[in-house]
mmCIF file with all atom_site columns, all heavy atoms in Angstrom:
data_model
loop_
_atom_site.group_PDB
_atom_site.id
_atom_site.type_symbol
_atom_site.label_atom_id
_atom_site.label_alt_id
_atom_site.label_comp_id
_atom_site.label_asym_id
_atom_site.label_entity_id
_atom_site.label_seq_id
_atom_site.pdbx_PDB_ins_code
_atom_site.Cartn_x
_atom_site.Cartn_y
_atom_site.Cartn_z
_atom_site.occupancy
_atom_site.B_iso_or_equiv
_atom_site.pdbx_formal_charge
_atom_site.auth_seq_id
_atom_site.auth_comp_id
_atom_site.auth_asym_id
_atom_site.auth_atom_id
_atom_site.pdbx_PDB_model_num
ATOM 1  N N   . GLY R 1 43 ? -1.038 0.118  10.671 1.00 0.00 ? 43 GLY R N   1
ATOM 2  C CA  . GLY R 1 43 ? -1.227 1.495  11.111 1.00 0.00 ? 43 GLY R CA  1
ATOM 3  C C   . GLY R 1 43 ? -0.144 1.927  12.077 1.00 0.00 ? 43 GLY R C   1
ATOM 4  O O   . GLY R 1 43 ? 0.372  3.049  12.005 1.00 0.00 ? 43 GLY R O   1
ATOM 5  N N   . GLN R 1 44 ? 0.227  1.030  13.008 1.00 0.00 ? 44 GLN R N   1
ATOM 6  C CA  . GLN R 1 44 ? 1.285  1.357  13.963 1.00 0.00 ? 44 GLN R CA  1
ATOM 7  C C   . GLN R 1 44 ? 2.617  1.546  13.250 1.00 0.00 ? 44 GLN R C   1
ATOM 8  O O   . GLN R 1 44 ? 3.403  2.442  13.600 1.00 0.00 ? 44 GLN R O   1
ATOM 9  C CB  . GLN R 1 44 ? 1.401  0.241  14.997 1.00 0.00 ? 44 GLN R CB  1
ATOM 10 C CG  . GLN R 1 44 ? 0.151  0.089  15.861 1.00 0.00 ? 44 GLN R CG  1
ATOM 11 C CD  . GLN R 1 44 ? 0.327  -0.982 16.916 1.00 0.00 ? 44 GLN R CD  1
ATOM 12 O OE1 . GLN R 1 44 ? 1.336  -1.008 17.612 1.00 0.00 ? 44 GLN R OE1 1
ATOM 13 N NE2 . GLN R 1 44 ? -0.651 -1.861 17.050 1.00 0.00 ? 44 GLN R NE2 1
ATOM 14 N N   . LYS R 1 45 ? 2.886  0.709  12.230 1.00 0.00 ? 45 LYS R N   1
ATOM 15 C CA  . LYS R 1 45 ? 4.125  0.825  11.479 1.00 0.00 ? 45 LYS R CA  1
ATOM 16 C C   . LYS R 1 45 ? 4.194  2.161  10.747 1.00 0.00 ? 45 LYS R C   1
ATOM 17 O O   . LYS R 1 45 ? 5.224  2.852  10.778 1.00 0.00 ? 45 LYS R O   1
ATOM 18 C CB  . LYS R 1 45 ? 4.249  -0.334 10.484 1.00 0.00 ? 45 LYS R CB  1
ATOM 19 C CG  . LYS R 1 45 ? 5.534  -0.324 9.681  1.00 0.00 ? 45 LYS R CG  1
ATOM 20 C CD  . LYS R 1 45 ? 5.628  -1.570 8.804  1.00 0.00 ? 45 LYS R CD  1
ATOM 21 C CE  . LYS R 1 45 ? 6.945  -1.584 8.033  1.00 0.00 ? 45 LYS R CE  1
ATOM 22 N NZ  . LYS R 1 45 ? 7.096  -2.805 7.223  1.00 0.00 ? 45 LYS R NZ  1
ATOM 23 N N   . ILE R 1 46 ? 3.099  2.551  10.085 1.00 0.00 ? 46 ILE R N   1
ATOM 24 C CA  . ILE R 1 46 ? 3.079  3.808  9.351  1.00 0.00 ? 46 ILE R CA  1
ATOM 25 C C   . ILE R 1 46 ? 3.229  4.990  10.305 1.00 0.00 ? 46 ILE R C   1
ATOM 26 O O   . ILE R 1 46 ? 3.918  5.967  10.010 1.00 0.00 ? 46 ILE R O   1
ATOM 27 C CB  . ILE R 1 46 ? 1.780  3.936  8.528  1.00 0.00 ? 46 ILE R CB  1
ATOM 28 C CG1 . ILE R 1 46 ? 1.761  2.881  7.411  1.00 0.00 ? 46 ILE R CG1 1
ATOM 29 C CG2 . ILE R 1 46 ? 1.656  5.334  7.918  1.00 0.00 ? 46 ILE R CG2 1
ATOM 30 C CD1 . ILE R 1 46 ? 2.901  2.999  6.421  1.00 0.00 ? 46 ILE R CD1 1
ATOM 31 N N   . GLU R 1 47 ? 2.601  4.900  11.494 1.00 0.00 ? 47 GLU R N   1
ATOM 32 C CA  . GLU R 1 47 ? 2.712  6.001  12.452 1.00 0.00 ? 47 GLU R CA  1
ATOM 33 C C   . GLU R 1 47 ? 4.151  6.189  12.909 1.00 0.00 ? 47 GLU R C   1
ATOM 34 O O   . GLU R 1 47 ? 4.615  7.320  13.095 1.00 0.00 ? 47 GLU R O   1
ATOM 35 C CB  . GLU R 1 47 ? 1.812  5.742  13.650 1.00 0.00 ? 47 GLU R CB  1
ATOM 36 C CG  . GLU R 1 47 ? 1.810  6.903  14.642 1.00 0.00 ? 47 GLU R CG  1
ATOM 37 C CD  . GLU R 1 47 ? 0.673  6.834  15.632 1.00 0.00 ? 47 GLU R CD  1
ATOM 38 O OE1 . GLU R 1 47 ? 0.530  5.791  16.299 1.00 0.00 ? 47 GLU R OE1 1
ATOM 39 O OE2 . GLU R 1 47 ? -0.075 7.816  15.723 1.00 0.00 ? 47 GLU R OE2 1
ATOM 40 N N   . LYS R 1 48 ? 4.880  5.091  13.081 1.00 0.00 ? 48 LYS R N   1
ATOM 41 C CA  . LYS R 1 48 ? 6.284  5.187  13.466 1.00 0.00 ? 48 LYS R CA  1
ATOM 42 C C   . LYS R 1 48 ? 7.105  5.888  12.379 1.00 0.00 ? 48 LYS R C   1
ATOM 43 O O   . LYS R 1 48 ? 8.035  6.647  12.675 1.00 0.00 ? 48 LYS R O   1
ATOM 44 C CB  . LYS R 1 48 ? 6.856  3.796  13.716 1.00 0.00 ? 48 LYS R CB  1
ATOM 45 C CG  . LYS R 1 48 ? 6.253  3.086  14.925 1.00 0.00 ? 48 LYS R CG  1
ATOM 46 C CD  . LYS R 1 48 ? 6.634  1.621  14.950 1.00 0.00 ? 48 LYS R CD  1
ATOM 47 C CE  . LYS R 1 48 ? 5.896  0.865  16.045 1.00 0.00 ? 48 LYS R CE  1
ATOM 48 N NZ  . LYS R 1 48 ? 6.168  -0.589 16.003 1.00 0.00 ? 48 LYS R NZ  1
ATOM 49 N N   . GLN R 1 49 ? 6.757  5.633  11.118 1.00 0.00 ? 49 GLN R N   1
ATOM 50 C CA  . GLN R 1 49 ? 7.529  6.195  10.003 1.00 0.00 ? 49 GLN R CA  1
ATOM 51 C C   . GLN R 1 49 ? 7.134  7.628  9.691  1.00 0.00 ? 49 GLN R C   1
ATOM 52 O O   . GLN R 1 49 ? 7.989  8.474  9.409  1.00 0.00 ? 49 GLN R O   1
ATOM 53 C CB  . GLN R 1 49 ? 7.358  5.307  8.768  1.00 0.00 ? 49 GLN R CB  1
ATOM 54 C CG  . GLN R 1 49 ? 7.925  3.915  8.933  1.00 0.00 ? 49 GLN R CG  1
ATOM 55 C CD  . GLN R 1 49 ? 7.621  2.997  7.757  1.00 0.00 ? 49 GLN R CD  1
ATOM 56 O OE1 . GLN R 1 49 ? 6.816  3.319  6.891  1.00 0.00 ? 49 GLN R OE1 1
ATOM 57 N NE2 . GLN R 1 49 ? 8.273  1.839  7.726  1.00 0.00 ? 49 GLN R NE2 1
ATOM 58 N N   . ILE R 1 50 ? 5.830  7.919  9.749  1.00 0.00 ? 50 ILE R N   1
ATOM 59 C CA  . ILE R 1 50 ? 5.352  9.213  9.270  1.00 0.00 ? 50 ILE R CA  1
ATOM 60 C C   . ILE R 1 50 ? 5.726  10.360 10.206 1.00 0.00 ? 50 ILE R C   1
ATOM 61 O O   . ILE R 1 50 ? 5.810  11.513 9.794  1.00 0.00 ? 50 ILE R O   1
ATOM 62 C CB  . ILE R 1 50 ? 3.821  9.160  9.041  1.00 0.00 ? 50 ILE R CB  1
ATOM 63 C CG1 . ILE R 1 50 ? 3.407  10.231 8.035  1.00 0.00 ? 50 ILE R CG1 1
ATOM 64 C CG2 . ILE R 1 50 ? 3.059  9.326  10.346 1.00 0.00 ? 50 ILE R CG2 1
ATOM 65 C CD1 . ILE R 1 50 ? 1.980  10.095 7.569  1.00 0.00 ? 50 ILE R CD1 1
ATOM 66 N N   . ARG R 1 51 ? 6.002  10.050 11.468 1.00 0.00 ? 51 ARG R N   1
ATOM 67 C CA  . ARG R 1 51 ? 6.356  11.136 12.391 1.00 0.00 ? 51 ARG R CA  1
ATOM 68 C C   . ARG R 1 51 ? 7.675  11.795 12.010 1.00 0.00 ? 51 ARG R C   1
ATOM 69 O O   . ARG R 1 51 ? 7.937  12.945 12.382 1.00 0.00 ? 51 ARG R O   1
ATOM 70 C CB  . ARG R 1 51 ? 6.398  10.605 13.826 1.00 0.00 ? 51 ARG R CB  1
ATOM 71 C CG  . ARG R 1 51 ? 7.449  9.552  14.096 1.00 0.00 ? 51 ARG R CG  1
ATOM 72 C CD  . ARG R 1 51 ? 7.105  8.735  15.333 1.00 0.00 ? 51 ARG R CD  1
ATOM 73 N NE  . ARG R 1 51 ? 8.116  7.730  15.581 1.00 0.00 ? 51 ARG R NE  1
ATOM 74 C CZ  . ARG R 1 51 ? 8.988  7.785  16.578 1.00 0.00 ? 51 ARG R CZ  1
ATOM 75 N NH1 . ARG R 1 51 ? 8.968  8.786  17.436 1.00 0.00 ? 51 ARG R NH1 1
ATOM 76 N NH2 . ARG R 1 51 ? 9.875  6.831  16.742 1.00 0.00 ? 51 ARG R NH2 1
#
Side-chain angles (χ1 to χ4, degrees):
Q44 296 183 48
K45 182 175 182 177
I46 293 299
E47 184 165 54
K48 293 168 188 175
Q49 295 174 349
I50 204 170
R51 63 201 180 108

